[in-house]
Amino acid sequence: MLTSLALIFLVGYALAAIFQKIKLPRIVGMLIAGILLGPHVLNLLQAPILSISAELRQMALIVILIKAGLSLNLKDLKKVGRPAIMMAFVPATFELLAFVIFAPIILGVNRIEAAVMGAVLAAVSPAVVVPRMVMLMEEKYGTKKSIPQMILAGASCDDIYVIVLFSSFVAMAQGGQADWIDFLNIPISIVLGVALGAVVGYVLSLFFETAYTRHHYIRNTMKVIIILAISFALMAIETALKPFVSVSGLLAVVSMACVLKIKSPATVSTRLSEKFGKLWLAAEVILFVLVGAAIDIRYTLNAGLAAVLMIFVALVIRSIGVSLCLVKTSLNLKERLFCIIAYLPKATVQAAIGSVPLAMGLPCGQIVLSVAVLAILITAPLGALGIDQTYPRLLEKEV
């Protein structure tokens, strides 16, 4: 496992640096490093590291979500309440409908199989979007109109919506029926996740404050370890409660960090944010190299031009959904275009569930995985490059 970790860091950072040098996003180099090192090309990563790949990716995502929560200003988020809520489900719904309508024509699948494919492809990647929105908030681009906050909130929620839809459509594809309770779980999961995180964040802030008043000073490094441990526990709570009630662990993590920021002195929350920013330097390469390792490049050869056409048709219709969310907002055309670009990338969810239909023996499994792999390879670099290259021109920098 140590050899695998060494390869992940060394090759991941090397290719990231090369891509940064040629003015391309670092994430592209990391994804390619993962593809090369993974079991489907050079097969240099050992089985133990691959067996815990999902957990390591989740840990890395938790790090950036904590930093996002510590950077998020709830007052700013209130300014864009309606669009942020709509961004959590409208673009994904439009993309899903695009697959249901056009995939039977373009790819020759039936409607239920098209719905399964759409549910896999419809989620935006928080792993690509969230760190970039955090960076924009720190650099004050678009913050006057709370654009990064809106995109961050929407991207954090839309995965829940899409995964619930995926579970329902897979059940239908297997000959079962979709349960309306599954759809009811979407708002329940969001509300309970936010509430749980808020309570935990408040208790944690009281603990830090009490320790300080009693002259038991807790170093910021120790606070980082405590916050990480509690974040992992929140994810474990989501898994434990899954048979009884849906709770979003990722939203609980963001909510906890938001409350910590509100209840802590500004200097403390700033230092914690900086420390999680440093942790992200290591977490980022683990996340994207392992996402790349999960990609079986052979499936792209089976996808063909029809799959590429379907992906771009779905992205166009998804963009219409994003535009609809921004109706009656103060955003100008440039800012709306940026929101559309920011909602393009796919990676995390597609890598996680793209192979599930194939593993379950569904007839559409091969084509779903092929399109999912191709979507990652096209949209992750496209979205990352689009965000990185356009934000200085499309967004206003707050003075």
Side-chain angles (χ1 to χ4, degrees):
M1 186 181 289
L2 291 178
T3 304
S4 297
L5 283 173
L7 287 170
I8 287 170
F9 283 111
L10 294 175
V11 179
Y13 278 132
L15 287 182
I18 290 169
F19 274 76
Q20 188 176 30
K21 192 75 175 174
I22 59 175
K23 307 297 182 184
L24 287 173
R26 290 164 53 84
I27 174 188
V28 181
M30 294 177 193
L31 285 171
I32 291 174
I35 292 170
L36 293 175
L37 294 173
H40 310 296
V41 181
L42 298 178
N43 195 25
L44 295 176
L45 299 181
Q46 296 163 315
I49 200 84
L50 293 173
S51 67
I52 59 169
S53 171
E55 288 78 9
L56 289 173
R57 281 181 283 162
Q58 191 174 67
M59 289 167 64
L61 196 55
I62 284 170
V63 170
I64 194 57
L65 287 173
I66 294 171
K67 179 162 175 56
L70 290 169
S71 305
L72 200 58
N73 191 323
L74 292 182
K75 290 180 181 177
D76 290 340
L77 196 55
K78 286 179 183 176
K79 297 177 188 175
V80 287
R82 178 190 60 82
I85 293 170
M86 291 182 69
M87 292 280 272
F89 68 93
V90 172
T93 301
F94 270 60
E95 185 165 5
L96 180 57
L97 288 173
F99 275 94
V100 171
I101 294 167
F102 294 105
I105 302 167
I106 297 173
L107 298 174
V109 296
N110 64 41
R111 298 289 178 193
I112 294 298
E113 290 172 340
V116 171
M117 184 183 296
V120 171
L121 273 292
V124 71
S125 173
V128 179
V129 174
V130 172
R132 282 167 170 76
M133 293 309 108
V134 172
M135 181 264 294
L136 293 184
M137 286 189 285
E138 290 176 344
E139 295 186 8
K140 302 292 184 182
Y141 275 97
T143 50
K144 189 175 182 181
K145 296 182 182 177
S146 304
I147 294 169
Q149 293 92 326
M150 175 185 67
I151 294 171
L152 191 154
S156 299
C157 295
D158 107 322
D159 289 0
I160 303 163
Y161 173 65
V162 168
I163 289 170
V164 170
L165 292 180
F166 172 74
S167 302
S168 301
F169 291 136
V170 164
M172 292 168 67
Q174 288 180 305
Q177 290 185 333
D179 193 337
W180 65 270
I181 293 177
D182 290 338
F183 295 95
L184 184 62
N185 278 336
I186 296 170
I188 291 174
S189 176
I190 292 171
V191 171
L192 289 182
V194 171
L196 174 63
V199 171
V200 171
Y202 181 71
V203 172
L204 193 54
S205 67
L206 286 180
F207 170 71
F208 289 152
E209 185 181 344
T210 303
Y212 181 77
T213 54
R214 293 185 178 180
H215 305 291
H216 298 299
Y217 180 69
I218 301 175
R219 295 172 61 88
N220 287 323
T221 304
M222 184 58 68
K223 287 179 182 176
V224 166
I225 295 170
I226 292 170
I227 292 168
L228 271 176
I230 291 175
S231 299
F232 297 156
L234 288 173
M235 298 303 299
I237 289 171
E238 175 186 358
T239 305
L241 294 180
K242 200 168 187 178
F244 312 104
V245 64
S246 291
V247 180
S248 171
L250 292 179
L251 277 181
V253 170
V254 176
S255 176
M256 175 192 69
C258 283
V259 172
L260 271 175
K261 179 184 179 180
I262 293 168
K263 303 300 292 183
S264 303
T267 52
V268 173
S269 60
T270 301
R271 285 174 190 161
L272 288 175
S273 180
E274 288 171 355
K275 285 188 177 293
F276 277 102
K278 290 173 182 176
L279 268 180
W280 174 242
L281 293 174
E284 179 186 32
V285 72
I286 290 174
L287 175 60
F288 290 115
V289 170
L290 289 178
V291 166
I295 296 173
D296 190 342
I297 199 73
R298 295 171 297 178
Y299 284 105
T300 59
L301 302 175
N302 301 326
L305 291 176
V308 176
L309 175 62
M310 184 64 245
I311 290 166
F312 278 101
V313 167
L315 289 179
V316 169
I317 295 175
R318 178 187 187 86
S319 300
I320 295 170
V322 174
S323 300
L324 186 64
C325 296
L326 304 176
V327 170
K328 293 186 178 178
T329 64
S330 61
L331 274 62
N332 59 39
L333 284 176
K334 286 183 177 181
E335 291 162 341
R336 293 176 192 226
L337 176 59
F338 177 81
C339 293
I340 290 170
I341 294 169
Y343 249 56
L344 293 179
K346 303 170 188 307
T348 327
V349 175
Q350 290 71 29
I353 66 175
S355 61
V356 171
L358 183 63
M360 296 175 76
L362 295 181
C364 63
Q366 174 108 8
I367 186 65
V368 169
L369 181 56
S370 298
V371 177
V373 169
L374 199 56
I376 294 171
L377 294 175
I378 292 171
T379 65
L382 182 65
L385 184 63
I387 294 170
D388 293 347
Q389 295 298 316
T390 64
Y391 78 86
R393 291 188 289 274
L394 298 181
L395 298 182
E396 180 184 346
K397 185 176 175 66
E398 189 176 0
V399 180

